[in-house]
Amino acid sequence: MISERDSETTFDEDSQPNDEVMPYSDDETEDELDSHQPVVEPGQKRINTDVEESREPLKKDCSWQVKANDERFYEQPQFKRTVFLCFKKSKYAGNAIKTYKYNPITFLPLNLFEQFKRAANFYFLVLLILQSIPQITTLSWYTTLVPLLLVLGITAVKDLVDDIARHRMDNEVNNRTCEVIRDGRFKNTKWKDIKVGDIIRLKKNTFVPADILLLSSSEPNSLCYVETAELDGETNLKFKMALEVTHRYLQEESAMADFNGLIECEEPNNRLDKFAGTLFWRNMSYSLDADKILLRGCKIRNTDFCHGVVIFAGADTKIMKNSGKTRFKRTKIDSLMNYMVYTIFVVLILLSAGLAIGHTYWEQQIGNLSWYLYDAQDFSPPYRGFLNFWGYIIVLNTMVPISLYVSVEVIRLGQSYFINWDLQMYYAEKDTAAKARTTTLNEQLGQIHYIFSDKTGTLTQNIMTFKKCCINGQRYGDCRDGAGQLQSHPEQVDFSWNMYADGKFSFYDHYLIEQIKSGKEPEIQKFFFLLAICHTVMVDTSDGQLNYQAASPDEGALVMAARNFGYVFLSRTQNTITISEMGIERTYDVLAILDFNSDRKRMSVIVRESGGNIRLYCKGADTVIFERLHPRNLKREATEEALDIFASETLRTLCLCYRDISHDEFEVWNKKFVEASVATTNRDEALDKVYEEIEKNLILLGATAIEDKLQDGVPETISRLSKADIKIWVLTGDKKETAENIGFSCELLTDETTICYGEDIRQVKSTKDLFLSTSLSSALLQTRLENQRNRTGSSTHSSLKMNEPFFQDSRDRALIITGSWLNEILLEKKKKKKKLKLKFPRTAEEEKKQTEKRRRAEAYKEQQQKNFVDLACECRAVICCRVTPKQKAMVVELVKKYKKAITLAIGDGANDVNMIKS
């Protein structure tokens, strides 16, 4: 029986990919994957279908078309957009950028318009107009004009100086030069003259002028190393890799000039980490993703030169799309000043009105009867009172503080200089002084109530060192001799037997070294082989030394550890990777790389070994690895015990595992993989679903433990902030045990602190439906909750008005919660793809019930969120572990929403951008 009229018929329900909104995603679509996607060759992601057939489904979402070396292509009518009436302009932006606000014509009107938005300035403008009316004025007009011009002039000069600096910066950027194909040859061209479709050549240590598709470079396999500090603040190098076909055929200048490929891709957007498109060239089609795109603002590093074709220019580039309009942050002083000025206005009007009424009364009683006061104007007493009202407005103008805004700006400017000159905030080791980048928020620093801080790289140094590991249930890393006996005096391992060893690496477990040298433990060999092959690290050789370039310090530390233990990553191409295994050099075919992201929390690589066997190697967080293990993993408990021990020592952990794949299984899976890799809509979700199909029934190898030391002076800083009654929240993606022990080491938690865990907080359907488990429950707390439950029967909104504390005593408390518990308690479930369903129209009664149901759910959700904030804010410190970037931002927004407090967010990576912007 179908119980509801709007019941649904679902097709392929399990095949719907996850549709969780990602950072920078402002225009995600809900379109389904096209079932007729082109097919790609496994090694090169090449689509072996007819170009015309494969181009049709792409046109639906990939409406941005770029033709290399063809200016006439962009003059077609479909690439024009209407600007005003019948005037049309190309939809492709030029590469010149404009960040200034004024030009010589618009400066005066625009600046005056902005200044007269301020209430005080507008008041004195009205006052000046009133003083020009003879019947009203009581003072000369210049008594108001002079101070008004002085205030407007000072502010205008300040704005003019700032805008001239913007003009100079724009001119400096727009007049930079790079080599562009013109008339079949590379010629120096200014950035502002670059157009979409141009082929450009970039050299080492130069900035990328536009968003370009990498075609080739001087490095093997057309690798290109870039620094993205201008985009995300991260200074570690990242690598991009061109398509194999463009690497092979587009190296010479003549080939560049003859290149006529057509690129169809997504419209310009602000998603820095995503790109989807297809290159059509020589009757073939090739999938494009973010790893093949160089974004404007990147800097070319460790690469002599590279070539690319411009896809987005100027205002269409991703960095310019992200700039947007800067939201002006008003301080409490600004709000107070505006409130004071408006209050003075009201008082001034009331006072003038009272005086005008009094004057009207006096005119009626005395003025009309006194012949010697006659002024030859036959005005009635009410009209004279009306004129005098405006006269009193003029006379009492000194009540309005016209110079208040200027005085505050001057004070803030002085404060910013004092911050810059503060010797106590000078860091001598790096010769870095404090820098006040804004003059509008200085006084807010003394009013902060909550600090939200990232852990890795903020509280810690983000310098990773391999310390310990667990292999096949056996822990390694303690100070032991070759026989496995503990040593009282640590003796460093001698790595002289390894020609590739790094002299800076310190390790004290001689027993592990003996096990590696003996070769009797195949699990140990697989463990370090996995570390050497499952990564995205790039290598370059200088002076005979291997230099690794890793996207993250964790990955670099693991590959460096494998190198020291005899499993050395030597080189890679697009389809192979070469490793030295205890002195024996071998090359493996890389069939697929299953990328890491913050949702998957793992990465995998599928390789074909020398015997033809296919094997998947995977590393990731324990929470996601254990869910995908084969049921018969005998060493799981021992590994979990080792993970707990490592976490108690504040070490960062990863689990390693593998599985063998049959040829038939791989062929079936690879077909799905290549289809998902060229999907033009929801490509990431489709890939994640395909990854899930192969990452199962894994065999656990062990776990790694990496140390990340605290920054200097962290405990002292936190202690002083706590004395100022500033509450600190640490938001991190690490394990709960690791985060807790970091909390103790930085003295955020102490022995006197009572720790409340999120998992120990249960829900009941009451007004305040959060209470502690048996570890902290008491009779008083239970009684209070019962009373609240009884009170909720009369009003559904009474819960929002109650501010009873959760804790009756004043003990020092801290709250430690996880991302999964946060989602559960705040009812923030992951969004799922909408199912394909047949809907029947609802009746008015059913619509009303559905609306009421949604309203109650929203009210319940808001109640839950407020209770969580109330509970957390009663604790001196809060540690949120295993949280995503989206959850970091959500926590900040909740505290700002319900506490109306001034907050400070601190972070060092791209995953902290959402939190800082919130």
Side-chain angles (χ1 to χ4, degrees):
M1 291 290 292
I2 299 177
S3 58
E4 296 183 7
R5 294 190 61 190
D6 59 336
S7 59
E8 60 193 33
T9 304
T10 305
F11 302 96
D12 198 15
E13 177 180 345
D14 295 334
S15 66
Q16 302 301 327
N18 189 316
D19 189 39
E20 183 177 7
V21 179
M22 297 297 293
Y24 303 115
S25 296
D26 61 342
D27 51 0
E28 294 280 2
T29 65
E30 292 290 329
D31 297 331
E32 298 292 288
L33 291 174
D34 196 299
S35 60
H36 301 290
Q37 294 294 347
V39 181
V40 182
E41 284 189 4
Q44 305 172 18
K45 289 188 178 178
R46 187 161 54 231
I47 308 169
N48 294 326
T49 55
D50 184 75
V51 175
E52 296 302 320
E53 292 178 358
S54 62
R55 196 177 296 177
E56 279 305 311
L58 295 174
K59 288 183 178 178
K60 182 179 179 182
D61 296 289
C62 294
S63 57
W64 191 264
Q65 295 183 328
V66 176
K67 186 75 175 290
N69 292 320
D70 189 352
E71 291 187 11
R72 293 183 180 179
F73 177 79
Y74 307 103
E75 297 175 0
Q76 299 180 64
Q78 64 265 33
F79 299 138
K80 302 286 185 180
R81 58 185 175 88
T82 302
V83 179
F84 178 73
L85 297 178
C86 60
F87 297 99
K88 293 189 175 183
K89 181 182 178 182
S90 173
K91 74 173 185 177
Y92 298 92
N95 201 45
I97 63 167
K98 185 184 77 171
T99 61
Y100 57 83
K101 295 170 62 178
Y102 313 110
N103 60 39
I105 298 175
T106 62
F107 172 72
L108 194 60
L110 281 182
N111 188 261
L112 289 177
F113 176 73
E114 289 182 358
Q115 292 203 57
F116 283 125
K117 284 182 177 179
R118 286 181 168 176
N121 291 344
F122 183 73
Y123 164 74
F124 279 93
L125 176 64
V126 173
L127 198 65
L128 183 63
I129 295 172
L130 292 176
Q131 286 181 325
S132 64
I133 302 174
Q135 291 85 356
I136 295 176
T137 183
T138 55
L139 296 172
S140 300
W141 55 269
Y142 56 80
T143 58
T144 299
L145 180 63
V146 172
L148 180 61
L149 289 179
L150 185 63
V151 170
L152 296 177
I154 292 175
T155 306
V157 169
K158 175 179 173 292
D159 292 342
L160 180 62
V161 171
D162 290 342
D163 210 55
I164 288 175
R166 294 191 195 101
H167 272 275
R168 288 175 178 169
M169 183 177 64
D170 289 348
N171 289 334
E172 189 273 328
V173 172
N174 290 331
N175 289 315
R176 290 176 182 172
T177 61
C178 70
E179 294 181 275
V180 181
I181 289 284
R182 292 284 187 263
D183 301 323
R185 301 295 301 273
F186 277 112
K187 297 180 181 179
N188 279 332
T189 305
K190 292 182 178 180
W191 279 22
K192 63 183 179 181
D193 297 326
I194 294 174
K195 301 181 179 66
V196 172
D198 283 347
I199 305 294
I200 65 176
R201 174 189 286 164
L202 302 174
K203 296 183 178 179
K204 187 176 181 179
N205 295 328
T206 60
F207 284 100
V208 180
D211 292 353
I212 67 174
L213 168 66
L214 180 63
L215 298 176
S216 62
S217 78
S218 58
E219 297 297 303
N221 302 294
S222 285
L223 291 173
C224 181
Y225 298 95
V226 294
E227 181 184 286
T228 60
E230 295 289 329
L231 297 177
D232 54 22
E234 297 183 4
T235 55
N236 54 293
L237 298 186
K238 299 178 177 63
F239 69 90
K240 304 290 183 177
M241 185 181 294
L243 288 166
E244 186 177 353
V245 64
T246 58
H247 160 68
R248 185 186 305 136
Y249 296 111
L250 297 179
Q251 294 289 347
E252 301 298 327
E253 186 177 63
S254 58
M256 295 287 179
D258 295 336
F259 177 62
N260 62 349
L262 174 66
I263 299 163
E264 291 188 351
C265 63
E266 59 193 11
E267 291 280 332
N269 57 68
N270 65 352
R271 294 172 292 181
L272 295 174
D273 54 347
K274 292 184 180 181
F275 180 83
T278 304
L279 169 65
F280 300 96
W281 188 41
R282 295 182 174 181
N283 296 325
M284 302 293 288
S285 303
Y286 308 89
S287 171
L288 303 177
D289 56 27
D291 291 334
K292 298 172 181 61
I293 303 298
L294 303 182
L295 300 181
R296 178 176 182 137
C298 294
K299 198 170 189 178
I300 307 298
R301 295 287 195 186
N302 296 3
T303 305
D304 292 334
F305 64 84
C306 66
H307 304 106
V309 56
V310 177
I311 298 178
F312 304 129
D316 290 334
T317 57
K318 291 183 180 288
I319 188 172
M320 295 303 293
K321 286 288 184 181
N322 269 289
S323 60
K325 290 185 178 181
T326 303
R327 185 169 62 91
F328 183 71
K329 296 181 178 180
R330 292 194 175 274
T331 65
K332 283 191 173 181
I333 293 293
D334 289 326
S335 302
L336 178 62
M337 285 194 302
N338 286 335
Y339 175 76
M340 290 170 58
V341 170
Y342 291 137
T343 303
I344 292 172
F345 281 160
V346 173
V347 173
L348 176 62
I349 290 171
L350 292 177
L351 188 58
S352 299
L355 291 171
I357 292 171
H359 182 82
T360 301
Y361 178 76
W362 182 85
E363 281 286 345
Q364 289 176 337
Q365 300 297 322
I366 300 173
N368 285 340
L369 303 177
S370 303
W371 60 268
Y372 52 86
L373 294 177
Y374 181 67
D375 57 0
Q377 301 287 343
D378 295 326
F379 295 147
S380 65
Y383 184 66
R384 287 182 181 276
F386 172 76
L387 293 178
N388 274 274
F389 169 78
W390 298 108
Y392 287 125
I393 291 286
I394 297 172
V395 170
L396 299 174
N397 71 79
T398 52
M399 291 180 62
V400 180
I402 186 173
S403 63
L404 179 61
Y405 293 103
V406 176
S407 301
V408 170
E409 290 294 333
V410 172
I411 292 171
R412 285 172 173 167
L413 182 64
Q415 286 177 339
S416 67
Y417 279 107
F418 280 122
I419 291 174
N420 296 344
W421 297 336
D422 195 333
L423 291 178
Q424 292 184 334
M425 289 194 282
Y426 173 72
Y427 189 50
E429 290 186 17
K430 293 190 176 181
D431 190 27
T432 304
K435 177 66 175 177
R437 299 186 181 275
T438 176
T439 60
T440 59
L441 301 174
N442 298 339
E443 71 271 14
Q444 296 285 77
L445 292 174
Q447 303 174 47
I448 293 169
H449 290 104
Y450 298 92
I451 293 179
F452 300 92
S453 173
D454 179 39
K455 184 186 76 67
T456 305
T458 305
L459 297 179
T460 60
Q461 297 179 11
N462 207 19
I463 300 175
M464 309 297 179
T465 307
F466 184 90
K467 283 295 181 183
K468 296 183 178 182
C469 61
C470 173
I471 307 174
N472 202 27
Q474 176 71 37
R475 284 187 290 115
Y476 299 95
D478 296 324
C479 300
R480 296 189 292 184
D481 58 22
Q485 300 298 319
L486 290 174
Q487 292 179 315
S488 57
H489 301 287
E491 182 180 345
Q492 191 168 322
V493 169
D494 181 15
F495 288 102
S496 59
W497 55 273
N498 182 0
M499 61 179 292
Y500 293 106
D502 176 26
K504 301 177 183 178
F505 184 68
S506 299
F507 199 71
Y508 300 94
D509 194 342
H510 295 261
Y511 182 61
L512 177 58
I513 303 300
E514 294 301 322
Q515 293 287 85
I516 293 174
K517 288 181 178 180
S518 67
K520 296 178 180 179
E521 293 288 342
E523 301 299 326
I524 294 179
Q525 296 174 7
K526 291 177 185 175
F527 183 90
F528 288 105
F529 176 78
L530 189 153
L531 293 181
I533 202 170
C534 185
H535 57 79
T536 57
V537 174
M538 303 305 298
V539 60
D540 57 24
T541 305
S542 59
D543 300 328
Q545 296 293 321
L546 295 175
N547 297 316
Y548 292 149
Q549 301 291 345
S552 71
D554 303 66
E555 199 166 53
L558 293 176
V559 175
M560 185 62 73
R563 167 181 170 176
N564 284 284
F565 288 115
Y567 290 79
V568 188
F569 164 54
L570 296 177
S571 65
R572 77 187 318 148
T573 68
Q574 292 194 348
N575 303 316
T576 65
I577 186 168
T578 303
I579 295 174
S580 171
E581 304 173 36
M582 300 302 290
I584 302 174
E585 192 170 315
R586 294 190 177 97
T587 299
Y588 297 90
D589 293 329
V590 178
L591 304 180
I593 295 178
L594 285 57
D595 299 320
F596 173 91
N597 63 44
S598 59
D599 289 327
R600 282 171 38 78
K601 298 182 182 178
R602 64 190 181 280
M603 79 156 289
S604 302
V605 60
I606 301 176
V607 298
R608 179 181 284 115
E609 299 181 341
S610 55
N613 297 327
I614 298 176
R615 180 171 286 175
L616 177 143
Y617 292 97
C618 178
K619 67 180 181 184
D622 56 344
T623 52
V624 294
I625 294 297
F626 286 153
E627 293 174 356
R628 292 160 176 82
L629 292 179
H630 192 280
R632 298 179 182 175
N633 268 278
L634 302 178
K635 303 299 180 181
R636 173 170 176 165
E637 292 185 3
T639 305
E640 286 181 328
E641 182 180 345
L643 286 170
D644 292 337
I645 294 174
F646 295 153
S648 66
E649 298 172 4
T650 70
L651 301 177
R652 296 165 61 89
T653 58
L654 279 179
C655 288
L656 311 184
C657 53
Y658 73 97
R659 67 165 293 205
D660 292 314
I661 304 172
S662 67
H663 288 80
D664 292 339
E665 181 184 3
F666 176 76
E667 290 300 326
V668 172
W669 177 85
N670 191 57
K671 185 177 180 181
K672 298 179 182 178
F673 171 65
V674 294
E675 287 178 356
S677 66
V678 294
T680 57
T681 58
N682 302 306
R683 180 181 296 179
D684 292 338
E685 291 84 350
L687 284 172
D688 285 346
K689 181 180 180 299
V690 174
Y691 293 164
E692 287 283 351
E693 294 181 11
I694 201 74
E695 292 174 325
K696 59 184 181 181
N697 294 327
L698 303 174
I699 299 174
L700 185 63
L701 275 175
T704 61
I706 299 175
E707 181 183 45
D708 186 11
K709 293 183 179 179
L710 281 176
Q711 299 271 16
D712 296 334
V714 168
E716 295 81 1
T717 303
I718 289 178
S719 175
R720 291 172 183 174
L721 291 172
S722 297
K723 289 179 180 178
D725 199 26
I726 296 176
K727 296 179 180 178
I728 301 173
W729 294 38
V730 176
L731 312 176
T732 178
D734 280 342
K735 280 170 60 70
K736 181 173 69 175
E737 294 80 8
T738 304
E740 181 178 343
N741 284 284
I742 286 289
F744 277 106
S745 60
C746 69
E747 296 184 10
L748 186 62
L749 308 176
T750 64
D751 293 336
E752 290 76 28
T753 303
T754 301
I755 300 177
C756 312
Y757 296 94
E759 289 75 7
D760 294 336
I761 299 175
R762 304 194 303 271
Q763 304 180 54
V764 297
K765 293 183 179 179
S766 63
T767 304
K768 286 220 170 178
D769 51 352
L770 301 171
F771 66 96
L772 297 180
S773 65
T774 54
S775 59
L776 290 174
S777 61
S778 64
L780 288 174
L781 184 59
Q782 295 288 354
T783 302
R784 179 173 68 87
L785 291 172
E786 289 294 334
N787 292 337
Q788 290 177 342
R789 187 185 298 113
N790 294 333
R791 281 200 291 263
T792 54
S794 58
S795 173
T796 58
H797 299 284
S798 61
S799 61
L800 300 177
K801 302 177 182 179
M802 296 182 185
N803 294 312
E804 299 181 20
F806 281 91
F807 306 107
Q808 300 300 324
D809 54 15
S810 58
R811 282 188 292 175
D812 185 20
R813 284 186 173 84
L815 178 64
I816 298 179
I817 58 178
T818 61
S820 58
W821 180 85
L822 196 61
N823 272 345
E824 180 183 346
I825 202 69
L826 300 181
L827 307 177
E828 292 285 347
K829 302 297 183 183
K830 282 188 177 182
K831 299 178 183 177
K832 296 294 182 182
K833 262 295 204 185
K834 293 182 179 179
K835 304 170 186 176
L836 182 63
K837 55 188 179 181
L838 301 176
K839 287 189 175 181
F840 296 95
R842 294 192 182 104
T843 62
E845 184 179 353
E846 289 173 336
E847 284 286 353
K848 184 178 180 181
K849 287 182 179 179
Q850 192 70 15
T851 303
E852 180 64 20
K853 181 180 178 182
R854 284 196 296 266
R855 189 193 65 79
R856 286 199 303 267
E858 191 63 30
Y860 181 69
K861 176 180 176 180
E862 184 176 350
Q863 177 182 322
Q864 288 277 67
Q865 292 176 346
K866 185 177 187 302
N867 287 336
F868 162 71
V869 173
D870 290 341
L871 173 69
C873 290
E874 288 184 28
C875 301
R876 183 177 60 84
V878 178
I879 298 177
C880 303
C881 43
R882 297 293 196 197
V883 290
T884 64
K886 183 181 176 183
Q887 288 175 320
K888 289 183 179 184
M890 183 180 67
V891 169
V892 176
E893 289 169 352
L894 287 177
V895 174
K896 289 183 65 178
K897 178 180 179 181
Y898 294 111
K899 290 300 177 182
K900 309 295 182 185
I902 296 175
T903 60
L904 171 69
I906 308 172
D908 70 317
N911 62 329
D912 302 315
V913 171
N914 279 6
M915 173 179 72
I916 293 171
K917 290 173 73 175
S918 296

